[in-house]
Amino acid sequence: MLIIAIKMLLADKGKYFGIVLGVTLASLVITQQGAIFTGIMSRTFATVTDMGDPDIWVMDTKVQYIDDIKPLQSTALGRVRSVEGVAWAAPLYKGMLRARLDNGEFQNCVVLGLDDATLAGGPPSMIEGELEFLRRSDAVIVDAIGARTRLAQPDGMGGKRPLRVGDTIEINDRRGVVVGICQSMRTFQSQPVVYTTYSRATHFAPRERKLLSFVLVKAMQGVDHKDLCDRIEAASGLAAYTRDQWKWKTVMFYIENTGIPINFGIAVSLGLLIGAVITGFMFYSFIADNIRYLGTLKAMGATDATLMNMVLVQALIVGTIGFGLGAGLASLFGAAVKRSPLAFLIPWQLLVVSGSAVTVICLLAAMLSMRRVMTLEPAMVFKG
Amino acid sequence: MTTQTHASPSMDLPGGGSLAVRCQGVTKTYGKGDAAVRALRGVDLDVYTGELLMLVGPSGCGKTTLISVIAGVLDHDEGACRVLGEDLRDLSPNKRAAFRARNIGFVFQAFNLIPTLTAAENVSVPLLIQGVGRREAMARSRELLAKVGLGDRTHEMPTRLSGGQQQRVAIARGIVHNPRLLVCDEPTSALDHKTGQRILELLREVAAGTQLSLVVVTHDPRIFEFADRIAEMDDGRVRRIAEGQHHDHSTGRGGFDIAPGDSSPGGKEQA
Ligand SMILES: Nc1ncnc2c1ncn2[C@@H]1O[C@H](COP(=O)(O)OP(=O)(O)OP(=O)(O)O)[C@@H](O)[C@H]1O
Ligand SMILES: [Mg+2]
């Protein structure tokens, strides 16, 4: 009987494509918008992602997200270090500082000051130069995208060229020499990222009483990270989060305090709604077109369960194809914008979400039509 | 699909024959209140096992309603209607579906072949509904199509067959599962006269020597000659039952012949 259902579905090419189109549209919009949303959200904690090494971030209890800097007493570092289970603890300076370019323009940069001794928390990979070069005088390492775009230098011919190793930039009127170019994730506001040592960063930074932004902690082997957070908090009176907790805290801040989720929510809901309406309408009309034949089957003794299975199979087929097409198109879109500044990320969870949404749409469409099949009077087959 | 409802053969007649259907005082009203239409107003009708009974009468007199009740696709209101020994109103919807799947065959005026299936696939549908495997169902369907003269058209889509050929496919579909009752609603009215006669010949042919009972609704007096008996309906009742030309005198069923040119039921059609 399922073969009959499939043949019935494929027979009317127009309706079939219409239904698939509706599902594809919904799946595409959800996946694509969801991927941009996920991409943007993942940029909010780009710094945390890039610093793969520390297991735990320690900060002031009032800090809400990664760019919310509330400096700590320098004594915090020692207090954290002395907590049992801490393998190492390193200071991190993080600040937004103004860099002056050769052409006289100013550009805000995220400046990260790494522990002088260990350089803990360095960039995930170097394109040019080495992290160790930060030990040279005035040394800074700049991220590749920043070097190519916002920190690009005049090339003397009216155009621009990327910032290169050996160039100098001025940060808060202090000289920095580029010793390396690194790979790093684009940040939320797309500012260039400048790595340097902690002590040099504190020179770049405006004079303030306190300059320690975070304490980065590596847990000893076998120590539970959450337990360690609790111990650090108890011992220091500060807030301590595992890397994942810290990412989520940052994301949740943006979700709760910006209009971004609402905007995406609206776009996704619209896509869902339009997709659901097209799918539901086309599917219903497909069933209506075939109601005479479904009625004939019913008269000939097919049970409601059999007929509903047929409808369900039809819905699941269009659902699977539409979802595949939509997700595929979204991935193509992602591949096409890979080199652009657009944030785009399709984690498997997103596919689960869009897959579930498509399933719900198809089930709704099927249920709408099933009602029609259930209430179908088999006696209608005798009507002309 | 696996539930099989065997009709009990408990409707034997004293004379040795048996009844496939017995309707007594059957009523059916569509709708309620002002909009109510009393389609059946107390129908008494027996259908003998193995006979071809024609149901005739003016448009709107309740023929389709009556065969819907007999075929178990519509519930009547009052009275009793036993089909193959079962009161179908007693059965759950699933049991009733299984009963139809096993015992009833259908032939429609508009053929109702599924346009996306080949002739053989269409014929196989009642077998598939009963849970017969696709391979076996197709084999039996092709065999039967050969018997109705369409052995070379088994792979054809219905739209590429003529009306008469489509109705042959529909008849094959109606009997492929060896039902005990075949209900046909105006099987010839979409066809020209000659084709219609051939269809009736075919119906008689496939029923010959079997226990299959046929109830054929028709407007067409030119096919009356194929009937064992003719039941004339008017205004929701069976008014009179006549022996058809095929009446088998050995059964001793009484009645009267309808002479050619007798008032044709189609002629009484109301506007
Ligand atoms: N589903 C329905 N709802 C309301 N009224 C109906 C319905 N089906 C049939 N009727 C009415 O019941 C009466 C009997 O209809 P039925 O279809 O049984 O007549 P018929 O003898 O088959 O007519 P025809 O020869 O035109 O096919 C008619 O008055 C018809 O309008
Ligand atoms: Mg009728």
Side-chain angles (χ1 to χ4, degrees), chain B residues 3 21 28 30 33 47 68 71 87 103 112 129 133 154-155 183 188 193 199 213-214 226 266:
Chain B
T3 4
V21 179
K28 174 70 191 179
Y30 291 108
V47 180
S68 299
D87 187 337
N103 297 305
N112 288 10
I129 289 177
T154 56
H155 286 292
V183 293
T188 61
H193 171 54
I199 287 298
S213 313
L214 293 98
F226 295 96

Side-chain angles (χ1 to χ4, degrees), chain A residues 237-257:
Chain A
L238 302 172
Y241 305 110
T242 66
R243 192 165 52 231
D244 283 343
Q245 281 177 331
W246 182 219
K247 285 180 182 176
W248 270 111
K249 191 170 167 67
T250 296
V251 167
M252 288 318 289
F253 174 84
Y254 278 92
I255 288 180
E256 284 164 14
N257 293 283

Side-chain angles (χ1 to χ4, degrees), chain B residues 247-253:
Chain B
H247 166 62
D248 177 359
H249 290 278
S250 66
T251 63
R253 296 172 196 153

Side-chain angles (χ1 to χ4, degrees), chain A residues 186-209:
Chain A
R186 222 178 261 272
T187 55
F188 183 58
Q189 294 172 60
S190 296
Q191 289 99 353
V193 181
V194 175
Y195 287 90
T196 186
T197 61
Y198 183 78
S199 56
R200 197 169 302 123
T202 56
H203 283 115
F204 288 147
R207 283 260 149 257
E208 280 180 43
R209 209 164 46 82

Side-chain angles (χ1 to χ4, degrees), chain B:
Chain B
M1 210 114 317
T2 46
T3 4
Q4 297 191 340
T5 312
H6 290 272
S8 61
S10 61
M11 295 170 79
D12 292 344
L13 295 173
S18 66
L19 283 181
V21 179
R22 163 154 278 185
C23 292
Q24 287 171 312
V26 170
T27 68
K28 174 70 191 179
T29 303
Y30 291 108
K32 287 195 180 79
D34 284 350
V37 178
R38 295 181 62 199
L40 300 181
R41 302 170 179 237
V43 169
D44 299 317
L45 179 69
D46 289 342
V47 180
Y48 299 114
T49 299
E51 79 166 331
L52 192 162
L53 177 92
M54 278 191 191
L55 209 50
V56 304
S59 185
C61 71
K63 303 181 295 294
T64 297
T65 305
L66 181 57
I67 60 160
S68 299
V69 169
I70 290 174
V73 291
L74 186 69
D75 277 339
H76 60 281
D77 298 330
E78 288 153 33
C81 182
R82 293 181 76 77
V83 182
L84 306 171
E86 295 269 2
D87 187 337
L88 300 185
R89 278 192 311 184
D90 292 347
L91 301 181
S92 69
N94 277 346
K95 284 240 172 76
R96 195 169 350 161
F99 177 90
R100 288 198 303 268
R102 189 166 169 70
N103 297 305
I104 314 284
F106 293 86
V107 174
F108 309 97
Q109 173 176 359
F111 320 134
N112 288 10
L113 296 174
I114 297 174
T116 49
L117 303 183
T118 64
E121 285 170 336
N122 263 292
V123 174
S124 74
V125 167
L127 295 174
L128 297 180
I129 289 177
Q130 281 195 43
V132 175
R134 192 175 147 76
R135 194 180 285 267
E136 187 193 335
M138 287 300 285
R140 279 166 67 179
S141 303
R142 279 192 288 265
E143 208 175 294
L144 188 54
L145 276 174
K147 277 194 190 145
V148 301
L150 291 173
D152 54 342
R153 313 303 295 270
T154 56
H155 286 292
E156 211 68 84
M157 293 317 241
T159 46
R160 301 186 30 129
L161 297 173
S162 72
Q165 288 171 330
Q166 288 188 55
Q167 199 59 304
R168 278 166 190 272
V169 175
I171 288 170
R173 179 178 68 176
I175 60 169
V176 68
H177 52 308
N178 297 319
R180 300 187 36 202
L181 179 65
L182 183 66
V183 293
C184 313
D185 196 8
E186 318 228 10
T188 61
S189 46
L191 306 172
D192 64 66
H193 171 54
K194 245 192 157 153
T195 314
Q197 283 206 319
R198 291 229 187 83
I199 287 298
L200 260 294
E201 275 165 21
L202 177 66
L203 279 175
R204 284 222 71 103
E205 220 176 283
V206 297
T210 72
Q211 293 286 88
L212 177 67
S213 313
L214 293 98
V215 180
V216 179
V217 170
T218 186
H219 270 126
D220 184 357
R222 291 171 301 190
I223 61 169
F224 287 179
E225 55 175 299
F226 295 96
D228 290 311
R229 292 190 305 146
I230 299 170
E232 269 185 61
M233 283 188 76
D234 192 15
D235 202 18
R237 287 192 184 85
V238 173
R239 295 289 179 192
R240 145 181 124 118
I241 298 190
E243 296 294 338
Q245 289 174 9
H246 259 273
H247 166 62
D248 177 359
H249 290 278
S250 66
T251 63
R253 296 172 196 153
F256 28 79
D257 288 326
I258 289 189
D262 200 335
S263 67
S264 107
K268 289 187 221 158
E269 219 162 293
Q270 291 142 0

Side-chain angles (χ1 to χ4, degrees), chain A residues 281-304:
Chain A
F281 177 78
M282 294 297 263
F283 196 78
Y284 188 82
S285 114
F286 158 72
I287 293 295
D289 285 350
N290 284 288
I291 203 73
R292 165 157 221 101
Y293 308 112
L294 292 170
T296 305
L297 294 177
K298 198 166 181 171
M300 293 194 300
T303 56
D304 282 342

Side-chain angles (χ1 to χ4, degrees), chain A residues 1-10 16 19 23 279-295 297-298 302-320 358-376:
Chain A
M1 296 301 282
L2 297 183
I3 302 268
I4 299 178
I6 294 169
K7 290 200 169 182
M8 203 177 260
L9 178 67
L10 301 184
Y16 171 65
I19 306 168
V23 181
T279 308
F281 177 78
M282 294 297 263
F283 196 78
Y284 188 82
S285 114
F286 158 72
I287 293 295
D289 285 350
N290 284 288
I291 203 73
R292 165 157 221 101
Y293 308 112
L294 292 170
L297 294 177
K298 198 166 181 171
T303 56
D304 282 342
T306 303
L307 296 177
M308 295 212 293
N309 271 339
M310 291 176 66
V311 173
L312 207 58
V313 162
Q314 290 165 336
L316 289 183
I317 289 175
V318 290
T320 309
V358 164
T359 309
V360 168
I361 290 179
C362 291
L363 287 183
L364 281 179
M367 266 159 57
L368 191 77
S369 308
M370 276 182 198
R371 257 189 59 80
R372 183 91 201 261
V373 174
M374 288 280 286
T375 56
L376 177 64

